[in-house]
Amino acid sequence: MQAVRLREHDGPDVLGVEEVERPAPDDDELLVEVAAASVNPVDTYFRDGSYTPVALPFTPGVDLAGTVVETGATV
């Protein structure tokens, strides 16, 4: 699958589309096939380093719409 990834903090040019493995949800998570996504202001803060993500590389984008395709054991 493809994902927009952030590998360092700076301007918009640090974002790139990469091939990544499909993640498996943890017990308390679900996996969504994304149909549409938006850029939230917090995504720009992650990109420029104002808010530091837990670990780089980081996949921004928490505002989305799609279809749940898999659930964790306790969901």
Side-chain angles (χ1 to χ4, degrees):
M1 65 179 240
Q2 293 183 322
V4 173
R5 304 287 278 169
L6 168 66
R7 294 192 167 275
E8 62 183 299
H9 302 290
D10 206 350
D13 56 319
V14 299
L15 296 169
V17 177
E18 300 178 7
E19 287 291 327
V20 297
E21 289 190 34
R22 177 182 165 166
D26 287 336
D27 286 345
D28 62 345
E29 297 178 334
L30 50 86
L31 183 65
V32 176
E33 182 176 334
V34 177
S38 68
V39 177
N40 185 298
V42 74
D43 293 316
T44 62
Y45 304 146
F46 286 138
R47 180 194 41 81
D48 71 13
S50 299
Y51 293 161
T52 304
V54 175
L56 293 175
F58 178 73
T59 302
V62 295
D63 294 337
L64 59 91
T67 304
V68 174
V69 294
E70 189 176 346
T71 60
T74 61
V75 173

